[in-house]
Structures are given as structure tokens and as C-alpha cells.
Amino acid sequence: MTRRLKLLTSLSTLTAASALALTGCGGEGEGAEGEGAAGGVSPSLSAEGEGEGGEGEGEGEGASGADPATDDVEYLHRLGQVRGHLVAFIELHRIGAHEMSATHAKHPESELYADLVPAFAARNKPGFADELNALVTAMENDGDIDGAYEAVKAAIDANEPGVDVATRLMSIATIARTAGDEFVIGVAESGEITNAHEYQDAYGFLTAARETLLKVEAYTQAEREAIATVDEQLAIALDEFDDLTATQIDGKSSVIYSAAARIEIAALGLS
């Protein structure tokens, strides 16, 4: 009964999200996209703004309120946020957008990492402060950034818990919802990129989630089908993005939220 109630709740969420997507596709009427929050945000287009409207939004955005020390979904969600920032960093770095990329390089002193330290201790995990420091040092000194990036990714992997497929997919649903929230902050209803940093975060979160999904091992047909659904939905969500340095796009947050709801349903179907 509990599982059925969860599924019905998620189906209701999906119905609402899908309705928003259909409205957004029509592009007619005021607030068709339902992204009212974006209209009230007027940070600089430059991604340098870690203060106003950029990183200053707080790295706790999208947090469920669960304790990452004991809740595997929230712990994986937080790790996914770190991964997402690093994806945005490396992709911007590789296209030569170095000022923008620097805003996504995470120090161990950052709020996002610092909030995970108690969880590392509780889970007897080493953390990855040294690897993050090495990446920032490589960035500042024109060192081996690709090598340092791969080392951070491996270190994050080493800090992950052993979880079942359903838990992993639920964490991806959570990070997809957070990506939707970041997209709303970063992209106005008109499609103008009003906060490049948050727009890039949204892309990074979804891309990192898809990379993580590739490593999930399925043992049953149901798990294989759920993973395929999640991959499809992440691809749909990523289609809402354009170049990371774009100033105007056609993407809609409702599509990302709808994908997140479908991913959640896929995860609940395995519970």
C-alpha cells in the first residue's frame, strides 16, 4: 500500500509537470512556462558573480532537509552537486571560457564541501579535499587540469556508499529537480540567460547524473528498463540547453521538472 501511495503521489506530480510542459510548448499567454521565480531574478549575466545571484544563492539549494550522514539519497545528491560543478568547470575550461570555469572550481572550504564533512566522518569516508585543492592549484598555475579533474572524479567515486539501483535512481531524480531549480534561476521566461552560473550548474548536474548512470549495474529486467527510462529522460532534459556561454536559449524548465518526475516514478517502481 505504501508503495502504491508513493506511486500515485509521483504520478500526480508528473501530471502537473507534464501540463506545464505542454503549456510551455505552446508559448502562448502570460507565464506559460510557470517560471515566475526567474522573472524576479536580475543578477549579472557574467558567471563571475558568486556573490549576487551566483554562488551566493547558497549551495544548500535543492537539499531535501534529510541528513546526508544517514540518508543515502541526500548524500548522493550532494555528491552529485559537486560532480555537476566540476562538469561545468571542465567543459568551460576546455572551450577557453576560463573566467566562467573558475567560478565552478570547488575549494574544500566551499559551503557545498564543508556541509559534507560530517557525513564523511559518520560514514567513515576520507573525503576528497586534497584532490579538490590539487585541481584548484592546477587551474591557478596552468598545471595538468585534465589529470587533476580525473583524480577528483575517482576520489568522489571512492566516497560513494554501496546502494541499490532504486536508491541510485532516486538520487538522480533529486539532482534533476535541483537542476530544474537552477535553470529557473538562470533562465528568464523569455529564454534570456540572466544568471550564467546557475544555467551552467543545471547543465552540469544533469550531465554528471547521466555519467553516473552509466556506471549503475542492473541485475534484473526491471532494473534495466528503469535505467533505460532514466537515461532517456536525462537526454530529454539536456536537450533544453544550448552552448554553455549562450545568452539566449529556447529551453524550458518544465521539461526538466517533467523528466525529474518520470525518473522518480522509475525509481519508485523498483522499491
Side-chain angles (χ1 to χ4, degrees):
M1 177 63 76
T2 301
R3 176 182 168 189
R4 185 170 183 272
L5 287 172
K6 286 182 178 179
L7 283 168
L8 287 173
T9 300
S10 293
L11 283 167
S12 296
T13 303
L14 174 60
T15 300
S18 298
L20 278 174
L22 289 172
T23 304
C25 289
E28 297 176 2
E30 294 179 25
E33 179 49 26
E35 295 174 3
V41 178
S42 55
S44 168
L45 178 62
S46 169
E48 291 194 15
E50 287 211 352
E52 291 122 1
E55 210 56 28
E57 310 290 344
E59 292 297 355
E61 282 179 30
S64 66
D67 184 356
T70 56
D71 188 284
D72 286 338
V73 170
E74 183 57 26
Y75 180 65
L76 289 168
H77 173 221
R78 302 287 185 92
L79 291 180
Q81 287 182 290
V82 178
R83 291 181 191 277
H85 279 290
L86 295 176
V87 165
F89 161 77
I90 198 67
E91 293 206 16
L92 286 163
H93 168 76
R94 286 170 177 168
I95 64 173
H98 299 304
E99 289 188 7
M100 283 185 170
S101 71
T103 70
H104 296 279
K106 296 288 100 179
H107 291 265
E109 295 80 11
S110 73
E111 182 182 347
L112 181 56
Y113 186 87
D115 284 349
L116 274 166
V117 171
F120 294 145
R123 293 170 177 272
N124 197 27
K125 298 292 185 181
F128 42 92
D130 290 345
E131 290 81 4
L132 284 177
N133 269 327
L135 177 62
V136 173
T137 299
M139 178 189 69
E140 293 173 345
N141 296 283
D142 197 24
D144 180 10
I145 289 177
D146 285 330
Y149 173 70
E150 292 301 324
V152 175
K153 287 174 62 179
I156 296 174
D157 287 347
N159 280 271
E160 287 196 341
V163 298
D164 59 22
V165 175
T167 300
R168 174 70 68 180
L169 299 189
M170 188 60 75
S171 74
I172 291 176
T174 306
I175 200 72
R177 282 196 300 274
T178 301
D181 295 342
E182 300 291 280
F183 192 95
V184 167
I185 295 170
V187 184
E189 292 182 24
S190 64
E192 178 188 0
I193 307 295
T194 55
N195 187 317
H197 185 95
E198 303 298 331
Y199 165 72
Q200 293 155 3
D201 278 350
Y203 170 84
F205 292 166
L206 291 168
T207 300
R210 202 172 186 201
E211 290 176 355
T212 300
L213 184 68
L214 293 175
K215 296 181 288 185
V216 178
E217 189 171 356
Y219 296 97
T220 69
Q221 182 61 26
E223 289 176 347
R224 284 188 286 273
E225 290 175 358
I227 289 170
T229 295
V230 172
D231 184 62
E232 178 185 34
Q233 292 305 315
L234 289 172
I236 289 170
L238 282 165
D239 277 346
E240 298 307 293
F241 294 80
D242 205 325
D243 188 280
L244 285 182
T245 58
T247 58
Q248 184 80 29
I249 64 170
D250 294 327
K252 303 295 182 184
S253 66
S254 56
V255 176
I256 301 172
Y257 284 129
S258 180
R262 287 184 167 91
I263 293 169
E264 181 177 358
I265 289 171
L268 287 171
L270 299 176
S271 299

